[in-house]
Amino acid sequence: MSEKIFVTRPYLPPLAKFNVYLRQIWKTKVVTNNGYFVKKLEDDLKKYFGAKHVFFVANGTLGLQMAIRALGLKKEIITTPFTYVATADSIIWEHAKPVFVDIDKNCCIDPKKIRAKITKNTQAILAVHVYGYPCDVKAIDQIAQEFNLKLIYDAAHAFGVEIYGRSIATFGDVSVFSFHATKPFHSAEGGAIVTNSNQIAQKIYHMRSFGQPEEDIKSLGINAKNSEIHAALGLCVLDQIETILEKRQKICDTYNKYLKYTKLKNPHNRLNFKSNYAYYPIICKSESQLLKIKRSLEANNIFPRRYFYPSINTLPFIKGDKCPISESIAKRVLCLPLYSKLALVDVKRISKIINLAFRQEQETSPHKQIRSEGNVYPFQEL
Ligand code: T4K
C-alpha cells in the first residue's frame, strides 16, 4: 500500500534555516512578549498586505473574538453558515448573535440576501472568504455603508489573495487571518488581525496583552500574544510564500486537467482574482456520491476532508434560520489533498480514482435522486 496522503501537510522550512532563528532566540533569551521576531513578522506582513496595522496573535479564533470586542458588537451579526465553526463560535463566545445569510455561487455570503436579514439590532457583517475565494467585497461594503454596519472579514483561508489589485486584507474595518499549520502560510499556530483604523488598532494593541501592553493597565484584556518561536517559523515560511503558492497552483491545474467531469473542477483560474490555491473543493451531485468517492479514496490511503460540513446553522447548539444552498453544498462538498509537496503523479492518480467512482455512482444511482439533490451548483456559472 502506498504512503498515506492527507488533505494537507504544512510546508516546513529546512531545519538548518529555522535553527539560525532559534540560535538567536537562545542567545537573547527573549521567547515571548513582543520580541524582535514578532515585531519583524508584523512589519513584513504590513508590507506584504499593504496595510497600516498588523497584530500577530495566538490563533485566528482569538483574532475574530478580539475584532468583535474591539468593534463593540453585542447584538446581531450577519454571517455565513458555510464556514468552519470557529466563525460562529467567535460571535457566540462574545455574547453576540449570528444571523445566517445563505451563500452565492462562489460559496461566500450572498450580498443579495443580506438586506432582508437586517433588523434594528444588526450591528455588523462578518463575511468569510471561503476557500480563499473573495466575497463580493464591493456589494458587501456598499450595504455596510448604507446601514452603518461594521464589517469584519474572516480571511482565515485567504492569505496571499488579491482582488482589484489590492490585498484581500485591506477590505472592511478589520480582516482576520489564521496561520494554523493547515494553511498555505502558517506559523504552526497563530493568526493576524489587520486594520487600517488607528482607533481599532489601539484597542487591539491593549487587548492582546492583558490590557497592559506596557507598564500601565489600560483596559480589560486577554492573553492573545504569540511567541518568538512561532514568529520565527512564520518568517521562514513567509520568504517562501511565492514558491509555495506556485506549487499549489500547479496541483490545482493538474486536478483541473485530469478530473473528467466539469462540475468537479474548481474555479481558481476562472475567477478574476489572484488566488492562493488554498483548497481544492469538489461538489458532488449527492451526499451518497460524495461518500462513495471518499470511501474509494480512503481505500487507497488518500484522506480528503469534508470542509465544511455540516452547514453551521444546523448545529444543535446554534439553530439558525434555514439556508438551503449552504445546507445542500455542505452535504456534497469534499476537499481534495493539496499541499506544496504533493507529487503531480499522485494528483493524477487521485483524479482517476474520483473519475471512476463518479462514473460508477452515476451509473448505479436512481436518476431522480441525483437530480433532486444536485440542483444547486455554486461554481456552475463561473
Ligand atoms: N475561520 C475559518 C473560516 C477557519 O477555517 C478557521 C480555522 C478559523 C476561523 C480559526 O482559525 P484558527 O483559530 O484555527 O487559527 C483545521 C484547523 O485546525 C483550523 O485552523 C481550520 N480553520 C480548519 C478548517 O481546519 P482540522 O480539524 O482539519 O485539522 P487536522 O488536525 O485534522 O488536520 C488536517 C490534516 O492536516 C491532517 O489529516 C494531517 C495534516 N496535518 C495537520 C496538522 C495540524 C499535518 O500534517 N500536520 C499538522 O500539524 O482543523
Side-chain angles (χ1 to χ4, degrees):
M1 180 76 87
S2 51
E3 229 181 80
K4 283 184 178 177
I5 296 180
F6 296 101
V7 69
T8 188
R9 302 250 84 178
Y11 166 82
L12 291 175
L15 265 179
K17 179 176 168 183
F18 191 42
N19 263 330
V20 174
Y21 289 78
L22 291 182
R23 266 193 225 107
Q24 177 148 350
I25 295 170
W26 261 238
K27 202 167 134 195
T28 61
K29 297 186 178 49
V30 176
V31 292
T32 187
N33 283 5
N34 217 11
Y36 174 79
F37 289 130
V38 166
K39 286 185 193 144
K40 170 140 180 57
L41 181 63
E42 289 180 342
D43 284 345
D44 289 1
L45 289 175
K46 276 182 218 163
K47 283 182 209 132
Y48 185 79
F49 293 137
K52 215 165 164 187
H53 305 281
V54 173
F55 295 92
F56 183 45
V57 292
N59 56 64
T61 309
L62 269 170
L64 285 171
Q65 285 174 232
M66 283 197 290
I68 291 166
R69 218 166 244 256
L71 293 171
L73 311 176
K74 297 187 182 108
K75 294 180 185 169
E76 291 177 5
I77 301 178
I78 288 183
T79 192
T80 174
F82 190 74
T83 179
Y84 189 54
V85 69
T87 314
D89 278 352
S90 312
I91 296 174
I92 297 167
W93 205 268
E94 290 302 323
H95 305 289
K97 183 183 173 204
V99 173
F100 296 101
V101 167
D102 215 342
I103 54 173
D104 62 10
K105 63 187 178 187
N106 201 12
C107 284
C108 297
I109 193 167
D110 188 342
K112 290 196 285 305
K113 294 179 182 151
I114 291 179
R115 279 188 174 80
K117 290 292 177 91
I118 294 175
T119 70
K120 62 177 184 349
N121 291 323
T122 309
Q123 292 181 304
I125 301 169
L126 200 176
V128 184
H129 304 298
V130 181
Y131 303 134
Y133 305 154
C135 296
D136 186 343
V137 285
K138 281 187 179 166
I140 295 172
D141 189 55
Q142 201 185 333
I143 297 169
Q145 285 193 26
E146 191 182 324
F147 291 90
N148 198 20
L149 303 176
K150 301 291 182 199
L151 180 52
I152 302 175
Y153 281 110
D154 178 340
H157 308 160
F159 190 93
V161 171
E162 287 176 17
I163 189 162
Y164 308 122
R166 270 165 68 182
S167 163
I168 199 78
T170 58
F171 292 89
D173 294 295
V174 187
S175 288
V176 179
F177 290 82
S178 166
F179 297 164
H180 184 259
T182 51
K183 307 293 187 301
F185 171 76
H186 76 96
S187 56
E189 286 279 357
I193 304 175
V194 184
T195 182
N196 281 332
S197 154
N198 295 342
Q199 210 191 350
I200 297 169
Q202 183 73 358
K203 285 189 182 159
I204 301 281
Y205 176 66
H206 289 136
M207 222 182 258
R208 179 177 59 168
S209 190
F210 311 104
Q212 187 186 20
E214 285 138 30
E215 286 210 346
D216 297 337
I217 301 172
K218 302 264 192 204
S219 61
L220 180 70
I222 187 94
N223 182 3
K225 293 175 274 101
N226 211 334
S227 80
E228 287 291 279
I229 299 172
H230 290 83
L233 182 56
L235 286 163
C236 291
V237 179
L238 187 60
D239 67 18
Q240 291 304 305
I241 192 69
E242 287 313 315
T243 315
I244 292 169
L245 299 189
E246 273 166 28
K247 288 190 175 158
R248 298 179 79 98
Q249 177 173 13
K250 278 206 180 94
I251 290 162
C252 290
D253 288 347
T254 308
Y255 275 130
N256 278 346
K257 179 170 172 196
Y258 287 107
L259 282 173
K260 261 196 181 161
Y261 301 89
T262 50
K263 295 284 193 274
L264 297 179
K265 299 182 185 190
N266 85 19
H268 288 296
N269 295 330
R270 283 180 277 161
L271 291 170
N272 187 19
F273 71 100
K274 181 174 178 259
S275 178
N276 66 352
Y277 308 95
Y279 293 84
Y280 196 101
I282 59 169
I283 299 176
C284 302
K285 289 200 166 185
S286 61
E287 189 171 22
S288 70
Q289 188 181 61
L290 175 144
L291 294 172
K292 167 109 197 211
I293 290 174
K294 188 165 176 277
R295 276 195 299 269
S296 304
L297 289 168
E298 285 168 355
N300 285 279
N301 246 352
I302 298 158
F303 299 92
R305 284 292 286 271
R306 295 186 76 176
Y307 296 139
F308 294 99
Y309 173 81
S311 185
I312 300 303
N313 59 312
T314 65
L315 285 171
F317 63 95
I318 291 184
K319 286 200 201 122
D321 288 351
K322 283 198 100 27
C323 293
I325 301 177
S326 173
E327 287 167 38
S328 169
I329 297 302
K331 283 188 196 145
R332 301 187 281 122
V333 68
L334 190 65
C335 281
L336 302 185
L338 173 52
Y339 47 92
S340 51
K341 286 223 162 129
L342 182 62
L344 296 183
V345 285
D346 284 326
V347 178
K348 192 171 165 185
R349 187 163 64 89
I350 293 167
S351 305
K352 278 189 170 169
I353 295 167
I354 294 169
N355 289 339
L356 186 66
F358 190 92
R359 201 177 59 229
Q360 280 173 350
E361 218 278 332
Q362 207 160 8
E363 280 163 7
T364 53
S365 282
H367 193 52
K368 223 171 121 197
Q369 179 200 338
I370 287 183
R371 272 239 309 265
S372 62
E373 285 188 49
N375 56 359
V376 187
Y377 288 110
F379 303 154
Q380 74 182 346
E381 295 152 36
L382 299 167

